[in-house]
Amino acid sequence: MDADALLGAHGELLGRLLPGDAPTELTVCEGQFHYVVIGSERVVRLARTDAAAARLPSRVAVLRVLSGLDLGVRVPEPLAVAGPDDVVPYVVLTRVPGAPLVEGTVSGPEVAEVVARQCHALLSRLFAAGGDQAIRESIPPAPADRWRQFADGVRAELYPLMHASGRTRAERELTALEALPQLSSAVVHGDLGGANLLWDNVDGLPALRGVVDWDDVCLGDPAEDFAAVGAYGPEVLRRVLAHTDGPTGDLVARIAAIQGTFALQQALAAYRDGDDEELADGLTGYR
């Protein structure tokens, strides 16, 4: 459903949920499980599937927990929710200020250090939150078989699309991933990079303002969020690790194993979503 069709179908509802925002001023994004309508002060997420609708109450409960944490940045706060029994399941969230960093802006030692210090501060707070018993009772642990399930999906769905050397490469990467220990020491965002970290500009330097899209939050291995922050470049990740207390050798190895499957993660999601362009990009070098 394109933006015009969505606004036409749900215009009355959105008018109530986003008072003061003209339809022409709204931004509409389409995700795998939700349509996201962004207003000036609020964001509405409309569930696309019955499964996504069923998850709304639990996702709202987790966001309420997260909004009470001292993460040093803002997270979306739930304002209203309509669950799976409503005609149009939705959740209304506060809009978090800021914008993703434009690709190529994290260049030069000064900018890399500023970004690294702020990412490290966020990662440290997420790790500390993982030791809070109240938080541990509110946020689910990562599924014990998550990497095995992912690897099985790649082998069943993507291997037929690969040449022999591509399958050999993928098998090596998946084997390293499946060997990772089952950890639950930190609150893990699950996609801590790219469009989900929102920044401002202060005196010409990036200032981290907020984190959005907590759908995959769990208790898990902090290496997963370190790996995602590495999308800002190896220099930023190196500096983040330099600020990390204690030995980091095992952490670095876990980060490398997770980063080694980023292309396969992209490809599998794209295959299941029918996104041929993203699939082709993810399978570059595998076929």
Side-chain angles (χ1 to χ4, degrees), residues 58-254:
S58 62
R59 294 289 165 78
V60 166
V62 169
L63 280 175
R64 290 194 172 114
V65 172
L66 292 170
S67 64
L69 296 180
D70 178 18
L71 296 180
V73 296
R74 288 181 58 182
V75 302
E77 298 179 33
L79 302 174
V81 60
D85 295 332
D86 292 272
V87 176
V88 182
Y90 65 80
V91 60
V92 183
L93 307 168
T94 56
R95 179 174 177 176
V96 176
L101 288 179
V102 177
E103 186 175 354
T105 57
V106 186
S107 59
E110 182 180 15
V111 176
E113 178 63 19
V114 166
V115 170
R117 277 193 284 104
Q118 293 175 84
C119 287
H120 178 265
L122 174 60
L123 291 164
S124 296
R125 290 186 172 103
L126 289 172
F127 184 81
D132 185 319
Q133 187 58 35
I135 300 302
R136 297 188 67 82
E137 293 173 357
S138 304
I139 294 177
D145 63 348
R146 61 178 307 205
W147 293 131
R148 181 184 61 78
Q149 291 281 359
F150 166 73
D152 288 348
V154 170
R155 291 176 179 122
E157 299 171 61
L158 298 184
Y159 273 21
L161 306 179
M162 300 179 185
H163 50 52
S165 61
R167 289 193 294 273
T168 299
R169 170 187 167 184
E171 190 60 32
R172 182 172 61 250
E173 294 163 346
L174 294 174
T175 298
L177 190 70
E178 291 177 295
L180 290 177
Q182 180 68 21
L183 302 178
S184 62
S185 53
V187 173
V188 174
H189 178 279
D191 190 13
L192 199 64
N196 294 331
L197 290 181
L198 304 182
W199 303 77
D200 198 357
N201 186 297
V202 177
D203 297 328
L205 294 172
L208 184 59
R209 296 303 188 209
V211 183
V212 297
D213 193 358
W214 292 85
D215 281 358
D216 295 325
V217 66
C218 64
L219 297 172
D221 185 349
E224 190 169 351
D225 282 345
F226 274 84
V229 165
Y232 288 129
E235 179 61 17
V236 170
L237 180 57
R238 184 189 70 77
R239 290 172 181 267
V240 169
L241 289 166
H243 289 293
T244 302
D245 295 333
T248 59
D250 183 59
L251 174 61
V252 170
R254 301 197 316 272

Side-chain angles (χ1 to χ4, degrees), residues 147 150 154 177 224 258-259 261-270:
W147 293 131
F150 166 73
V154 170
L177 190 70
E224 190 169 351
I258 294 168
Q259 287 183 323
T261 63
F262 275 175
L264 293 175
Q265 291 181 44
Q266 173 186 321
L268 186 61

